[in-house]
């Protein structure tokens, strides 16, 4: 056994050395070449069709906007975007990732929206070493058990978006609550984070309700909530499910007697469809459209001008992905062979994001403010900071 | 668990059952009676929902939107039948599966081009926007009762037309033995075109009616498709009564499954289907050989 591991280590060292030498040979001329510098290949694995297509487009367009605002280059080299439609399909994730990493040999990889896709992607890039920036998927494990020196995240961990809500609800006097979400990984991680901070501070979760994903028939559970009469309800749904849950909750007459709280995704991008039913819902998230700071104002204007669409939290994450890549590439003046230096620069970056300034944790997940938002007149209005500079606990991550 | 809780949950079950029957009614007609495997059923449902959303925006009145939308979907059904389905009656089921799966892709893409990818809500019409208080904390939206009433009307109308009228008789006969009915001097091609477009319109109608409670979003049709097939298969192919009973059974199993055994709520409905099929492979009320 020891002999085997020694030989493996030497072989790996040899390969590494060879790769570094090859990398140097390829890249020494590039930045200094006369005329056109070689293009940086940026792989983008996002959904461009299906339910999440709108998210994929917003992330991509905002990322390109960030890079174009700085002259359209990464460290002085022009960028070639290699886009692959992930279809938000975990079963195609490994093949799609390999297409970009092994087939196209991209210098950087960004995406995806779906956590299942992110897990498959993380598994591959951990082996291949491609510098990867996760621009949405919130699965906790990406910056916990799966964390790696070459994996960064500019979005959030599911844990982060819900953890601050526990103390906040207790502060409002809600000691007995019911939680409700879909029975799938993201839902359980979100509710788990809420439970952690709520129970630790003396709250009681009367019942944790799990709805089979993606079932949207809530009537039976609403009746149960009405009979349990908790002080409040904490929930996580997204997209069409969020719209239906919020509307059903109001239509069942529960809204007036049992206030509804939730992860920010409950009311983000869904408010026009939810209408009056969403008024007064309090949520936590790392961004709000109406966030009052100059970077956000400028970004929203620029995004609107570039795409004719309104920016959202996904666009912000895409924008910051672009900024983070630029930060890394500027530090090495475009030398993609200097991976270590790029990663070190990215790790130490402080991004002046539309969501406010943030840095990266040891596990390379944002250390960011989580805002408290309340729906007022069809808008998620920021009513305070629920948790300043919150870092994911990164349990199980060995990066130090 | 007290009595009022049980009663309200039963009300939820029946109400959900009605909604399921309404959604599956179009499929009962096309798959159950005509024997065509129509995977695009969910897409017609989705188109109905999007039409309700869009026409409601334009007219400001959901009932008017439904009145305008229905003829449109009958027309769409007719076009699809004439251009595609009509060629496959004599072919194997596999061809129908392939074709209607292709229709799903085309109709989904059409939805994306016409209406985009956002999630939309459709407001409940003002006349029906009230709620009836049931307990101190819970009230019941009047609109859900309205859906139930509409469902009863659809179920009754379908039953009467299929089983009690001459048209219904020819439809049933045409499904069992197309050639014989043709020899008897009935234009089966035209007959089936009418039935198919009615089935498509029924699917769209249920999409329109349930738009205010279900919200409107891409991919909504696929979810409906599966549960609709479950309803028809449990009830027995070819039986409207069966589909009705099947929908009610699913309503009860799903509702009480979620409350009593939430751990297996996700599979309760399919377990029910498996049990029914083991016990009666032809479904509860299915007896027809074809």
């Amino acid at each position: 056994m020891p002999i085997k591991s020694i030989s493996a280590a030497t072989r790996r060292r040899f390969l590494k050395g060879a790769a570094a030498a090859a990398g140097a040979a390829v890249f020494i001329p590039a930045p200094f070449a006369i005329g056109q510098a070689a293009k940086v290949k940026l792989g983008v694995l996002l959904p461009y069709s299906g339910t999440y297509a709108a998210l994929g487009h917003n992330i991509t367009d905002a990322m390109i906007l960030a890079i174009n605002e700085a002259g359209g280059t990464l460290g002085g080299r022009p960028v070639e975007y290699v886009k692959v439609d992930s279809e938000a399909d975990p079963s195609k994730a490994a093949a799609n990732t390999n297409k970009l990493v092994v087939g196209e040999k991209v210098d950087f990889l960004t995406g995806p929206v779906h956590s299942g896709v992110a897990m498959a992607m993380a598994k591959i890039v951990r082996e291949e070493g491609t510098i990867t920036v996760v621009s949405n998927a919130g699965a906790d494990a990406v910056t916990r058990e799966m964390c790696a020196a070459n994996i960064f995240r500019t979005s959030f961990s599911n844990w982060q978006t819900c953890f601050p809500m526990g103390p906040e609800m207790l502060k409002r006097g809600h000691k007995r609550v019911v939680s409700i979400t879909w029975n799938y990984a993201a839902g359980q991680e979100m509710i788990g984070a809420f439970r952690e901070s709520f129970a630790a501070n003396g709250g009681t979760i009367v019942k944790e309700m799990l709805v089979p994903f993606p079932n949207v028939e809530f009537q039976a559970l609403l009746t149960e909530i009405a009979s349990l009469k908790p002080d409040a309800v904490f929930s996580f749904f997204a997209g069409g499910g969020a719209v239906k849950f919020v509307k059903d909750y109001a239509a069942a007459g529960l809204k007036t007697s049992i206030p509804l709280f939730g992860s920010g995704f409950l009311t983000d991008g869904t408010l026009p469809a939810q209408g009056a039913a969403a008024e007064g819902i309090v949520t936590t998230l790392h961004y709000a459209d109406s966030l009052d700071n100059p970077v956000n104002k400028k970004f929203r204007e620029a995004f609107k001008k570039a795409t004719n669409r309104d920016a959202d939290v996904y666009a912000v994450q895409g924008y910051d992905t672009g900024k983070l890549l630029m930060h890394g590439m500027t530090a090495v003046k475009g030398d993609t062979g200097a991976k270590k230096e790029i990663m070190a620069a990215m790790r130490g970056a402080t991004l002046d994001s539309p969501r406010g300034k943030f840095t990266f944790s040891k596990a390379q997940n944002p250390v960011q403010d989580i805002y408290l938002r309340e729906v007022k007149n069809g808008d998620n209005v920021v009513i305070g900071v629920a948790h300043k500079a919150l870092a994911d606990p990164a349990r199980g991550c060995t990066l130090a | 668990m007290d009595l009022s809780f049980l009663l309200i949950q039963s009300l939820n079950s029946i109400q959900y059952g009605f909604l399921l029957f309404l959604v599956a009614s179009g499929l009962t007609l096309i798959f159950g009676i005509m024997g065509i495997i129509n995977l695009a059923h969910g897409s017609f449902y989705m188109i109905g929902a999007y039409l309700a959303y869009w026409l409601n925006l334009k007219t400001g009145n959901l009932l008017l939107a439904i009145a305008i939308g229905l003829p449109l979907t009958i027309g769409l059904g007719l076009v699809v039948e004439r251009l595609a389905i009509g060629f496959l009656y004599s072919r194997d089921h596999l061809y129908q599966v392939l074709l209607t799966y292709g229709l799903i892709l085309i109709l989904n893409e059409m939805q994306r081009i016409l209406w985009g990818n956002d999630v939309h809500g459709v407001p409940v019409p003002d006349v029906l926007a009230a709620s009836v208080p049931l307990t101190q904390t819970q009230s019941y939206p009047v609109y859900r009762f309205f859906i139930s009433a509409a469902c009863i009307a659809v179920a009754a109308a379908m039953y009467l037309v299929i089983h009690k009228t001459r048209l219904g008789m020819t439809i049933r006969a045409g499904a069992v033995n197309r050639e014989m009915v043709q020899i008897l001097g009935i234009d089966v091609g035209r007959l089936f075109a009418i039935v198919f477009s009615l089935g498509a319109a029924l699917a769209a109608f249920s999409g329109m009616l349930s738009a205010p409670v279900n919200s409107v979003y891409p991919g909504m049709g696929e979810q409906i498709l599966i549960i609709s097939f479950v309803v028809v298969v449990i009830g027995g192919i070819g039986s409207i009564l069966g589909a009705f009973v099947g929908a009610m059974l699913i309503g009860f199993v799903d509702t009480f499954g979620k409350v009593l055994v939430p751990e297996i709520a996700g599979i309760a409905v399919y377990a029910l289907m498996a049990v029914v099929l083991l016990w009666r492979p032809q479904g509860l009320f299915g007896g027809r050989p074809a």
Side-chain angles (χ1 to χ4, degrees), chain A residues 217 219-220 223 226 244 252 273, chain B residues 9 12 121-122 137 139 213-214 258:
Chain A
E217 182 57 35
Q219 210 59 35
T223 299
K244 186 164 190 309
Chain B
Q9 291 296 19
N12 288 334
V122 178
T137 34
S139 48
V213 291
N214 272 347
K258 268 183 199 150

Side-chain angles (χ1 to χ4, degrees), chain A residues 312-326:
Chain A
D312 55 12
V313 60
Y314 309 105
V316 169
Q317 293 164 182
Y319 191 69
D320 292 340
T321 302
K323 291 266 182 192
L324 180 63
L325 290 173
M326 283 190 305

Side-chain angles (χ1 to χ4, degrees), chain A residues 50-52 182 212-218 238-245 247 269-270 273, chain B residues 42-43 45-51 53 107-108 111-112 115-122 207 210-225 227:
Chain A
T51 316
Y52 295 119
W182 272 317
F213 179 77
N215 192 317
V216 289
E217 182 57 35
F218 302 117
V243 174
K244 186 164 190 309
F245 180 74
K247 287 180 90 174
T270 52
Chain B
S43 305
Y45 171 85
M46 172 200 74
I47 285 173
Y50 269 94
L51 272 178
Y53 153 73
L107 292 173
N108 276 355
Q111 163 255 313
R112 252 162 236 147
W115 293 295
N117 273 315
D118 291 331
V119 179
H120 298 290
V122 178
S210 52
V213 291
N214 272 347
S215 80
V216 179
Y217 53 96
M220 62 188 295
E222 277 87 85
Q223 273 187 44
I224 283 302
L225 174 71
I227 197 81

